[in-house]
Amino acid sequence: MSAAAIVGVGETPFHRGSPLLPVELMLEASLAALDDAGLDRTDIDGICPPPGYTSAEELAVNLGVTDLAFSATSSLGGASSIAAIRNAALAVRGGAASCVLVVVGWNGFSWLRPREGVPVPRHGLALTSAQDVVTDVMVPQGAIGPPQFYAPVANRYRHTYGIDEHDAAAFALTMRRHAANNDLAVMRDRPLTLEDYLASPMISDPFRVLDCCLETDAAAAILVTSEERARDLAQPVVSVLGAGEGRPDPPDDIAGRDDLLHIGLHGAAQRAFEGSGVGVGDLDTVGIYDCFTYIALLQLEALGVCGPGEAGAFVRSGAAELGGALPVNTHGGLLSQGHVWGMNHVVEMVRQLRGTAGASQVAGAEVGAVTGWGDFGDGTAIVLGAGR
Amino acid sequence: MTGFPESDPGASGLHARWYEANRLAGRLTAQRCECGRWRTPARYRCPGCGTDVWSFEPVAPVGRVVSWTITRRPLHFAFAEAVPYGIVVVVTDEGVRFLLQYRGDPDEITIDDEVGIAVDRFGVPYADSRPD
């Protein structure tokens, strides 16, 4: 996939309660990405919307795109953002489109907190590709939401490798320190101590409140075009070196797996690096889909950054900090910047590889990878490189 | 364990047939293909041999705990009275795996321990401490 590049990034503020509909936030982020790229709305001929809240058609008409040539939506929950970028890159490489908008956004804060005067989107999040299993098999057992779905994975991980709450805390604290450098981060001015972490209430063991990502109203967008065209645009070129998706077996039921710790990212990471010309040892910084601390640790291992069971020690050593061996989520992640389906991780990675990440900049960053996690452990990975 | 809401799961299709099979048998069943492969949740076709010839058969009413969680904050009002409650992932002797509510003392759940498995009047299975 060497022929595609990310040429524009945009995001809204990370709101804890926005009066705007998700589609309005997505349009705002899309326009910011166009502005960043130096492209016009009418340059867009492909749109990859998220699974829910809007459609390629609704986005097209509001952006003035009158001849849409390509659209695609993948349904991998939070892993959808990177799957969508991969779809866009494949479309550009294959000639189906020349400039593809990939956008996600939602009312992750407001849908749980309905308020008078705040409109509710008619179409919500297309919840999960495993919806029948959730509704018919899991909800009757009292397993209703992600903390409960993923907790048995986290407890098996703890049991297998002796990972403990200090490992999880180290990840949460690292994210919070990174957020302090980021003006957009919801938790920029909210420092966190180990004592705070250990005092935070348990939601669904082993997840405490502070193991769980933030609920945010926000949107983020990127633009994908060819490397060739990228060289003539406003920003330094960031190339898509590789991307992959993967699913555990079975994909629609966690309990039914022989190995709870085999996740979609294992296959996705392998596919992303294949043919990319780089390996995990070449990474200067990574973005990890940190929906929950323990799940982020597991992904560091599945990506190949650490061996099995070693991610806790890796993070506790300070390696994941800005200035460490391999800084992770320099923007603060889903845990401390905000939650926009991991597209914020891609936006941050693009800024890192452009060298425009400000106080969060990893010196000399040239190669980075970002992971996605969604539904019942679906995984995606993308490998990005500073332009040549 | 008193607060767990016992109700018709309102399932559809194969899942509804599974609860009905449990209810009629008065014990936990699982779908088994003619090739001998167990599968859960219920599927239209066997991921192994590809056929659609199967039946619901009883499985051992005992499982070993693979993993667990204890829900301490209800994520839905229907479970407000039930917290804290345990959820376990278990594997039976046949190698069949289930996610089950745990109706015993959740703080006693331990990985690799054995738990008993029963079904309620709606055919919804649950785990409990194993009777001595």
Side-chain angles (χ1 to χ4, degrees), chain B residues 29-73:
Chain B
T29 70
Q31 202 186 27
R32 193 174 198 193
C33 178
E34 63 171 356
C35 77
R37 179 168 168 149
W38 295 92
R39 52 193 210 237
T40 180
R43 312 292 189 189
Y44 300 106
R45 285 185 173 270
C46 178
C49 73
T51 68
D52 62 353
V53 183
W54 54 268
S55 55
F56 288 117
E57 294 184 20
V59 293
V62 175
R64 184 173 50 78
V65 175
V66 174
S67 198
W68 59 281
T69 186
I70 301 170
T71 296
R72 299 184 189 271
R73 295 236 174 142

Side-chain angles (χ1 to χ4, degrees), chain A residues 296-319:
Chain A
L297 295 175
L298 186 56
Q299 287 176 74
L300 278 168
E301 297 169 16
L303 183 62
V305 166
C306 305
E310 293 172 359
F314 175 83
V315 175
R316 283 167 75 164
S317 77

Side-chain angles (χ1 to χ4, degrees), chain A residues 133 136-137 139-142 144-145 148 151-152 155-156 159 201-205 250 252-253 255-258 260, chain B residues 4 9 11-12 15 19 40-41 43 66-73 75-76 79 85 87 97 99-101 111 124-125:
Chain A
V133 172
D136 289 351
V137 179
V139 170
Q141 301 297 341
I144 296 157
Q148 297 164 312
N155 268 334
R156 189 70 199 176
H159 175 81
M202 200 67 89
I203 298 285
S204 192
D205 300 52
D252 65 346
D253 177 51
R257 295 172 192 161
D258 291 342
L260 290 180
Chain B
F4 205 94
S12 62
H15 304 313
Y19 290 117
T40 180
R43 312 292 189 189
V66 174
S67 198
W68 59 281
T69 186
I70 301 170
T71 296
R72 299 184 189 271
R73 295 236 174 142
L75 298 184
H76 189 276
F79 297 90
Y85 61 90
I87 294 173
R97 292 162 186 272
L99 180 136
L100 300 171
Q101 56 181 280
I111 288 181
V124 177

Side-chain angles (χ1 to χ4, degrees), chain A residues 99-115:
Chain A
C99 179
V100 183
L101 169 69
V102 185
V103 60
V104 304
W106 70 328
N107 56 342
F109 182 90
S110 291
W111 83 277
L112 294 162
R113 299 163 183 85
R115 301 182 304 287

Side-chain angles (χ1 to χ4, degrees), chain A residues 320-331:
Chain A
E321 304 266 352
L322 189 58
L326 186 65
V328 175
N329 294 355
T330 47
H331 56 322

